[in-house]
Amino acid sequence: MDPISAVGLVAAIVQLVDAAAKAVSVCHEIYALGASIDDSRMKYTTGQLLESYSALDVSLNHNRSNSYSISGNSANLINLASRCIETAKTLQMELSTLEKSPRGGGREAFSKFLLKKRKAKELDKLKGCLDEYQKALDSKLIIEIMQDFGSFKTQQKAQTIDLEQCLRPLSADIANCHIPIATLLKSEIDKNITASQVQHDITRKHAETQITAAMQNLEVSQARQRKEQKEEETSRRQYNQLLESLRFADMTSRMNEVSESHPDTFQWMFREDIDHPWDNFAAWLRGGDDVYWINGKPGSGKSTLMKFLADNPQTRDMLAQWSPDKDALIVATYFWLSGSKMQRSLKGFLCSVIHQIFFQARHLFDKSIHADQNLLTKHNVDDWSNNELRHLMVRAMDLLEGPICMFIDGLDEFDQDDDVEKVLSIIEDLSAAGTTKICVSSRPEHYLAQQLSKYCQLRLQDLTAEDMRVCIRDTLEFTRTKCRSSAVSGERVEEIVEVVAQKADGVFLWVYYAISSLRKGMRYDDDFEDLLKRIEDLLKRIEDFPSGMHQLYLQMWNRLNGDQLRYRDEANMYFSYERFYPLSLFNLLVALDPDMQNEYLEKYRVQDWNNLARRCELLRNRISTRCAGLLEAVPEVDSDQRSSELSPSYALKESNETAKGDNEQTSSFNDPATQESSKTSTDGVSPGSGTNADFGEKVYNDNCVSMCRTRIKFLHRTARDFLLNSEEGRTIIGRPEDFVNERLRAVVRAGIAALVQGLTGGCGLC
């Protein structure tokens, strides 16, 4: 191979190695780091690789077919070019796979792990090949080509001398001839010798010029490549430094500890062919409002549902309808009061969100560094202030120039109340941008309910009864089959399923403990009665009380922090009515107020519905805050109404909208303007009697009556047993038996007052 062709082939190899290295970097970011696919960057990388591949292929085919003999050095160069082309083909296949693959975020965790491990090994192997090619170019191969060029010049000069040596004797012999033709021939030979020398000089100078230029271009290309590699290494080091500065030890531990959902549960979240007794989540993903609130009692499965939604491919598919032009970036964060300080703080929340954004969108880093060089000074979470983190999060989301969907689990598990307020403020600000959707979950604590009830929502414990049956049935049937137990038939298992689902009262955590106990019993050949006894023991005997439930209730109480001593006396007063629960808000309100008892029993005076509803609502909120959620309010509605499946907020929202639509009138008893305009006396009118001509006013009265009939009950039967039978619970509740007779008289008088007010069918003694 001639030196000029060799240098051209080397230049083509350098170009391909450079393009291939960039392609490996892109694939590594997507496979090993989990980065999102940037379409423009992917197309550019693919184009560069194809262009370099084609140039090298053409050069290689030309040199294989030329007439020059292939020396050892030339063979090495052609072999290197062939290996580069094979590597390029492999990379081209990877890039094609990435371009055609469905957008990420929906793979199962185990599949993603296996793919990551397999692809990481393949990429490491390709990277090793590229390093080998680069070393070959940087070391002896270039030297060998220069040596070939020297040999070429020597060989060409030797050929010219040989030609001269052959022609000069002939020229001398011809000179001795004395014929005209000989004179002419000698003249031509002399001309050829001179022309050969001139051509040799021209060829040599041309070859030197071409090779010198080619070598200079090659050196420039290699220098540029080394510079780009150095810049890329610096950028990657700085990028990793930023990610490391945002990472804290337990950042993903809560997410990893949240149980995976059963394959057949929570599917109703995406169904649209059923009559939803909640705000349609699928419709929210496709458009609609920017915030969705999932609330539920402790242990109802909120975290498991949030994990299911964040990882589910259907979530991304529906978000694609909201944003068809750009893929939505999905971020999920899980708070945990029992975890480390960072797991329950504002700082931990900000670090987790920002880390996920930069992790999935690598290209944001360079833009952020350009805007703020101070980011390069951060090495760990202690280097950040909350204000810096908040500004960085907002800037990153602005630079993203695309949609983002955030799942924030456990708003009720923040360490400090001011943290909650700041997070709610962040949610409010981000939701106003129009390119952000935020799904949050929490217990319906009073302050959170005040702030979040205006958004789309669902109450989880009202919707999971069938999911519980599926989990219980599958687990027990699997255990029965595995143990080959004949002590309990399939029909008996179905009965146990119904008992457990009913006793669970919407608390998935209790179902978990119940299933564990039942599986143990089935392994020990317990019969049907033995298994039922296990369920009752979980509900009654403190020694069989699940430790996880115990810790849950104690944590709920301790969450009151410095307020627990201040609220304890009032909470004890509410707890002291425990033997009468479930008791309506109206009955409890009257039982706590001797003046109201006197108004009803001595004066037979019926109270204004609006005033009663407002007082009942205030009592409900105080019970929620003072009792740390161990008592809950449940609506009392007719069983044949669809709203029997709804939470209070749904039923109230539905009736209010009905009244507005028909009479353009608000029915909420919380609206001062409405309260003022509804002074028409309803005293002495039994609710629902039909004496009110205005339909909107009737709906209004029905809502007030619904609030008065709302029942107060323990969060779960195990919550009552915790307070009455555990040492910690008795410390909280005091000695309620000291007030039994006093409380009984008050409840009886409240029952009579309910009859006077016209509250029948559910507001008597229970």
Side-chain angles (χ1 to χ4, degrees):
M1 184 188 306
D2 67 274
I4 297 177
S5 299
V7 172
L9 190 57
V10 168
I13 293 174
V14 169
Q15 186 180 7
L16 181 60
V17 169
D18 185 27
K22 292 177 180 177
V24 168
S25 177
V26 170
C27 294
H28 181 269
E29 287 180 21
I30 295 169
Y31 283 128
L33 301 180
S36 60
I37 301 174
D38 187 326
D39 289 335
S40 60
R41 188 182 179 200
M42 180 66 68
K43 289 178 180 177
Y44 176 78
T45 303
T46 304
Q48 290 289 97
L49 185 61
L50 281 173
E51 182 180 334
S52 303
Y53 168 84
S54 300
L56 180 57
D57 193 41
V58 170
S59 180
L60 181 61
N61 290 331
H62 169 74
N63 284 286
R64 278 174 173 166
S65 61
N66 66 21
S67 58
Y68 288 96
S69 62
I70 300 178
S71 65
N73 293 335
S74 298
N76 290 338
L77 189 58
I78 290 176
N79 181 49
L80 176 61
S82 301
R83 285 185 288 159
C84 284
I85 287 178
E86 291 302 317
T87 301
K89 288 180 180 178
T90 304
L91 280 172
Q92 183 59 38
M93 291 176 60
E94 286 297 330
L95 292 172
S96 299
T97 301
L98 285 172
E99 285 185 313
K100 296 176 182 177
S101 63
R103 299 303 180 181
R107 300 187 186 100
E108 295 294 334
F110 187 64
S111 298
K112 290 170 68 178
F113 173 77
L114 290 179
L115 178 64
K116 174 181 175 181
K117 296 291 287 183
R118 180 170 62 85
K119 292 296 183 183
K121 290 181 179 179
E122 294 176 4
L123 291 172
D124 288 342
K125 185 177 179 180
L126 290 175
K127 183 65 168 59
C129 292
L130 293 174
D131 291 341
E132 179 186 340
Y133 304 155
Q134 188 62 53
K135 289 177 181 178
L137 289 173
D138 287 341
S139 58
K140 66 176 184 177
L141 200 56
I142 300 300
I143 297 173
E144 290 175 351
I145 290 172
M146 293 303 297
Q147 290 174 346
D148 282 349
F149 175 57
S151 300
F152 172 75
K153 289 195 295 182
T154 302
Q155 182 181 4
Q156 189 180 43
K157 185 175 181 180
Q159 289 174 349
T160 302
I161 294 173
D162 289 342
L163 178 61
E164 290 178 4
Q165 288 175 350
C166 291
L167 291 177
R168 286 189 187 281
L170 179 61
S171 177
D173 291 339
I174 292 173
N176 294 324
C177 297
H178 299 285
I179 55 175
I181 188 65
T183 302
L184 291 175
L185 183 58
K186 178 181 182 302
S187 176
E188 287 300 320
I189 290 175
D190 291 341
K191 288 180 182 178
N192 283 332
I193 292 174
T194 302
S196 175
Q197 291 173 340
V198 171
Q199 184 61 43
H200 167 69
D201 292 339
I202 293 173
T203 302
R204 178 176 54 78
K205 290 179 181 179
H206 178 71
E208 288 177 348
T209 301
Q210 291 294 317
I211 291 177
T212 300
M215 292 303 296
Q216 288 175 346
N217 291 336
L218 182 59
E219 290 174 359
V220 170
S221 176
Q222 289 183 316
R224 185 184 69 253
Q225 181 180 350
R226 286 192 293 269
K227 180 182 177 183
E228 290 177 353
Q229 287 178 343
K230 185 176 180 180
E231 290 174 350
E232 177 65 24
E233 290 173 1
T234 300
S235 177
R236 183 173 296 281
R237 185 178 67 253
Q238 293 171 345
Y239 171 67
N240 290 333
Q241 176 184 319
L242 178 64
L243 290 182
E244 195 61 30
S245 74
L246 296 166
R247 185 190 302 276
F248 54 92
D250 302 317
M251 190 166 70
T252 60
S253 62
R254 174 57 177 164
M255 177 190 69
N256 295 332
E257 291 176 9
V258 172
S259 302
E260 298 286 345
S261 60
H262 186 284
D264 297 326
T265 60
F266 295 140
Q267 297 298 330
W268 44 266
M269 286 292 290
F270 298 108
R271 291 186 59 185
E272 300 187 71
D273 58 343
I274 56 177
D275 187 16
H276 289 83
W278 66 92
D279 290 314
N280 191 318
F281 183 76
W284 176 80
L285 286 174
R286 294 197 308 270
D289 296 336
D290 299 311
V291 179
Y292 196 103
W293 180 36
I294 295 175
N295 65 84
K297 61 174 64 177
S300 58
K302 299 183 295 297
S303 296
T304 301
L305 174 58
M306 292 289 279
K307 187 173 183 178
F308 166 82
L309 295 173
D311 292 342
N312 199 291
Q314 295 182 77
T315 297
R316 189 170 290 279
D317 291 342
M318 292 181 178
L319 286 173
Q321 299 179 48
W322 168 53
S323 175
D325 297 329
K326 284 196 173 184
D327 291 339
L329 191 149
I330 295 178
V331 171
T333 183
Y334 300 79
F335 293 100
W336 198 17
L337 187 59
S338 299
S340 65
K341 175 70 175 178
M342 289 292 288
Q343 288 178 288
R344 57 180 189 265
S345 67
L346 174 64
K347 190 171 193 176
F349 163 73
L350 293 170
C351 284
S352 177
V353 170
I354 299 170
H355 185 280
Q356 291 180 68
I357 292 175
F358 278 105
F359 189 80
Q360 297 183 64
R362 166 71 172 83
H363 63 282
L364 294 181
F365 171 73
D366 294 330
K367 296 179 180 179
S368 299
I369 290 297
H370 181 73
D372 184 7
Q373 288 287 319
N374 188 48
L375 298 179
L376 298 178
T377 66
K378 309 298 183 182
H379 294 86
N380 55 63
V381 292
D382 294 330
D383 293 336
W384 294 97
S385 70
N386 286 351
N387 283 336
E388 286 178 319
L389 289 168
R390 181 165 182 172
H391 291 153
L392 178 58
M393 181 179 70
V394 173
R395 186 189 312 128
M397 294 178 72
D398 288 341
L399 293 172
L400 186 62
E401 297 179 349
I404 185 169
C405 182
M406 301 174 65
F407 290 88
I408 306 174
D409 177 56
L411 277 181
D412 55 300
E413 302 214 25
F414 275 100
D415 197 25
Q416 300 292 335
D417 290 339
D418 61 336
D419 276 1
V420 176
E421 293 176 0
K422 290 174 183 176
V423 171
L424 289 171
S425 174
I426 291 173
I427 291 173
E428 187 80 22
D429 293 342
L430 294 179
S431 64
T435 58
T436 305
K437 282 188 176 293
I438 305 174
C439 179
V440 300
S441 73
S442 74
R443 301 168 191 168
E445 291 184 353
H446 178 59
Y447 178 71
L448 292 173
Q450 281 183 321
Q451 304 301 313
L452 298 172
S453 59
K454 60 186 176 183
Y455 299 119
C456 294
Q457 60 185 277
L458 64 79
R459 195 171 78 162
L460 189 55
Q461 65 264 24
D462 296 339
L463 310 170
T464 53
E466 187 55 37
D467 285 347
M468 286 184 177
R469 292 186 179 92
V470 170
C471 290
I472 301 165
R473 184 182 299 113
D474 284 4
T475 305
L476 295 185
E477 281 292 351
F478 175 81
T479 303
R480 189 174 73 92
T481 304
K482 190 84 170 175
C483 298
R484 300 179 180 178
S485 173
S486 59
V488 182
S489 65
E491 292 76 12
R492 287 299 197 182
V493 167
E494 194 60 36
E495 291 183 46
I496 294 174
V497 169
E498 291 302 319
V499 171
V500 175
Q502 183 180 7
K503 299 290 187 183
D505 197 18
V507 180
F508 251 117
L509 183 59
W510 185 83
V511 170
Y512 168 79
Y513 290 116
I515 289 176
S516 297
S517 179
L518 291 170
R519 291 184 67 191
K520 184 177 181 180
M522 294 176 80
R523 287 195 292 267
Y524 292 165
D525 289 329
D526 284 5
D527 60 20
F528 178 70
E529 297 301 327
D530 291 332
L531 295 177
L532 289 182
K533 184 68 166 54
R534 282 179 173 272
I535 298 172
E536 291 303 318
D537 286 345
L538 280 174
L539 293 168
K540 290 181 179 179
R541 296 172 53 190
I542 193 64
E543 58 267 27
D544 292 323
F545 196 84
S547 59
M549 298 292 291
H550 185 120
Q551 292 301 319
L552 175 64
Y553 297 140
L554 189 60
Q555 178 195 99
M556 290 171 63
W557 180 258
N558 289 336
R559 184 168 160 75
L560 287 176
N561 295 325
D563 294 325
Q564 56 180 284
L565 292 177
R566 186 185 313 162
Y567 291 166
R568 181 171 292 173
D569 290 342
E570 186 176 350
N572 287 344
M573 179 177 62
Y574 299 136
F575 288 141
S576 67
Y577 284 87
E578 54 82 20
R579 67 182 56 214
F580 304 111
Y581 289 135
L583 199 63
S584 73
L585 279 173
F586 174 85
N587 283 47
L588 184 57
L589 179 68
V590 175
L592 294 171
D593 191 339
D595 291 337
M596 288 188 71
Q597 296 174 23
N598 184 61
E599 288 289 316
Y600 281 110
L601 275 64
E602 302 297 332
K603 302 178 181 179
Y604 297 98
R605 181 174 298 171
V606 177
Q607 304 293 309
D608 175 67
W609 286 111
N610 177 66
N611 182 54
L612 282 176
R614 284 190 290 109
R615 294 186 65 182
C616 285
E617 184 181 32
L618 178 62
L619 177 61
R620 181 193 66 183
N621 295 340
R622 292 183 71 87
I623 290 173
S624 175
T625 55
R626 272 51 175 178
C627 298
L630 293 171
L631 293 176
E632 65 174 351
V634 181
E636 175 78 9
V637 292
D638 295 337
S639 59
D640 59 343
Q641 296 177 353
R642 185 176 74 87
S643 58
S644 63
E645 302 175 0
L646 309 182
S647 69
S649 58
Y650 303 142
L652 183 58
K653 181 191 299 185
E654 184 179 77
S655 58
N656 287 347
E657 290 172 353
T658 303
K660 287 179 184 178
D662 292 346
N663 295 286
E664 297 183 356
Q665 173 179 332
T666 301
S667 303
S668 173
F669 44 76
N670 290 318
D671 187 347
T674 304
Q675 297 169 12
E676 199 60 38
S677 64
S678 302
K679 287 290 186 180
T680 1
S681 176
T682 57
D683 293 353
V685 179
S686 176
S689 63
T691 58
N692 296 314
D694 186 88
F695 176 73
E697 185 177 345
K698 179 180 182 301
V699 173
Y700 171 70
N701 286 339
D702 285 348
N703 290 334
C704 293
V705 172
S706 177
M707 175 57 71
C708 292
R709 284 181 170 176
T710 296
R711 296 301 187 98
I712 299 298
K713 59 188 282 288
F714 279 99
L715 172 70
H716 190 256
R717 183 170 175 175
T718 53
R720 180 181 183 275
D721 293 338
F722 164 72
L723 288 169
L724 295 179
N725 300 326
S726 71
E727 182 178 346
E728 294 88 346
R730 286 191 294 269
T731 301
I732 294 171
I733 200 173
R735 295 174 55 84
E737 62 271 13
D738 294 344
F739 306 98
V740 171
N741 293 331
E742 177 185 341
R743 301 298 187 241
L744 178 59
R745 285 193 296 270
V747 171
V748 170
R749 293 168 71 85
I752 297 172
L755 296 175
V756 174
Q757 183 67 27
L759 287 167
T760 58
C763 279
L765 287 173
C766 299

